[in-house]
Amino acid sequence: MKKFLKNKFVFLMIAMLFLTACSNEKKTEEPQENKTIVEQTNAEEKQALLVYAGAGLKKPIEEIKQEFETKMGVKLEIVYAGSGQLLAQLEQSGKGDVFIVGSKPTYDEAIKKGLANEAVPVAHHTPIIITQKGNEKGIMGLKDLNKDGIKLALGDADANAIGKTSVKMFEKAGINDYEKNVVVKTATVNELYQALKTGSVDAAIVTKDSAFGKDDLDIVEIEPEFLIDQVISIGTLKISENEELAQKLVDYMKSDTASSAFEKFGFKTVK
């Protein structure tokens, strides 16, 4: 009988220890489970903005993007392309929050189509001519780009702002036969520089900021009487589902922090 009671007592002690361990394990797991739920909820609640931005603006915007995301606790999803391409994508998708492109005429087109709200000027996107290092062709301005023997690269007028502006500047200068020298047309301003770098062309019309910091080319200013300056414009989209946050991004683009980012990469900001 004593042996039976002894065995029964040992069995009860083991059972109590097992139940205590299970209880402690459950208490340990509960905070972790609760933490996971909280983290998932915060991730789901994190807001995002869809931004359409000109390809030539990528360097400053990527820097501004990091600062804005950190400050506001949001995520910016940015689509980079030529302004004409962006407008087409915007129309097709029917989604987006902010539109920022390299020239006001392109932005105004978005307004006419009922896609964008009023624009805010951010910085200058001034056209210039770039040539091969040494400028052996002796290009001194827009008037020289239609001379025989010049291989020229231009932006595609249907795809980007610099292409449209180039056409308007040639028209302003009364130069109608420049197309005979055009051997490359590109969708973005960055591709124009690549065409020059590979030796495919003698000259290209780009923006001053895109040539900033590059020592493997020469810069030729466009004659003041023919120059058409471009102004980078930004605004919210009418289809935005988060207008308040979108407007905060537009306002942030005019801040001292954002202006410093633009100036860092060769853009002259609009005061």
Side-chain angles (χ1 to χ4, degrees):
M1 182 70 179
K2 288 182 179 180
K3 186 176 181 180
F4 171 76
L5 290 173
K6 183 178 180 181
N7 290 340
K8 186 175 181 181
F9 175 78
V10 170
F11 174 79
L12 289 172
M13 288 297 293
I14 292 172
M16 288 177 66
L17 288 171
F18 176 78
L19 290 172
T20 301
C22 289
S23 176
N24 289 337
E25 183 178 352
K26 185 176 181 182
K27 288 178 181 179
T28 303
E29 290 176 356
E30 283 178 354
Q32 184 64 34
E33 290 175 355
N34 291 337
K35 182 181 178 182
T36 302
I37 292 170
V38 170
E39 288 175 348
Q40 288 176 343
T41 302
N42 289 339
E44 290 172 356
E45 291 177 351
K46 192 171 186 178
Q47 294 176 302
L49 291 177
L50 176 59
V51 181
Y52 295 89
L57 313 179
K58 186 171 183 178
K59 288 181 180 179
I61 287 182
E62 280 297 305
E63 190 165 302
I64 293 167
K65 171 181 181 289
Q66 294 178 9
E67 295 163 351
F68 187 80
E69 286 180 334
T70 301
K71 182 177 180 179
M72 302 300 296
V74 300
K75 180 176 177 58
L76 299 184
E77 299 172 355
I78 304 179
V79 177
Y80 292 104
S83 58
Q85 293 174 313
L86 290 174
L87 193 55
Q89 289 183 47
L90 174 57
E91 286 184 280
Q92 185 176 9
S93 70
K95 296 179 180 180
D97 299 288
V98 175
F99 192 50
I100 176 168
V101 287
S103 74
K104 194 171 185 301
T106 304
Y107 192 97
D108 288 344
E109 192 174 343
I111 293 178
K112 289 178 182 177
K113 291 177 180 288
L115 298 169
N117 294 306
E118 184 179 352
V120 174
V122 175
H124 295 274
H125 217 28
T126 308
I128 57 168
I129 299 167
I130 57 173
T131 72
Q132 294 289 341
K133 190 71 175 177
N135 191 9
E136 294 181 3
K137 297 287 185 176
I139 297 167
M140 303 304 293
L142 208 65
K143 284 281 191 179
D144 292 326
L145 295 182
N146 68 334
K147 288 183 177 179
D148 292 339
I150 301 292
K151 292 184 292 184
L152 179 63
L154 294 179
D156 185 343
D158 292 328
N160 55 50
I162 191 62
K164 290 180 180 179
T165 302
S166 297
V167 171
K168 290 179 180 179
M169 289 191 297
F170 279 122
E171 290 174 351
K172 190 176 182 181
I175 302 172
N176 302 315
D177 58 346
Y178 65 91
E179 284 281 2
K180 68 180 184 181
N181 288 341
V182 177
V183 296
V184 176
K185 284 191 177 182
T186 71
T188 67
V189 68
N190 299 328
E191 292 172 295
L192 290 169
Y193 166 68
Q194 291 301 321
L196 188 79
K197 185 177 179 181
T198 59
S200 301
V201 298
D202 302 307
I205 297 178
V206 299
T207 52
K208 187 173 288 187
D209 53 89
S210 66
F212 180 75
K214 294 181 173 67
D215 57 6
D216 57 348
L217 52 79
D218 281 0
I219 293 175
V220 177
E221 299 285 346
I222 294 171
E223 301 92 321
E225 62 268 30
F226 306 141
L227 178 65
I228 299 175
D229 197 11
Q230 300 179 137
V231 177
I232 298 165
S233 301
I234 185 173
T236 59
L237 294 171
K238 291 183 179 292
I239 54 177
S240 175
E241 295 181 356
N242 198 335
E243 293 182 15
E244 184 177 348
L245 184 59
Q247 186 60 50
K248 286 182 179 179
L249 176 58
V250 171
D251 294 340
Y252 190 77
M253 285 289 181
K254 294 290 290 181
S255 68
D256 291 341
T257 302
S259 293
S260 295
F262 275 105
E263 290 169 358
K264 175 181 176 180
F265 294 103
F267 293 84
K268 182 182 177 182
T269 54
V270 175
K271 302 301 182 182

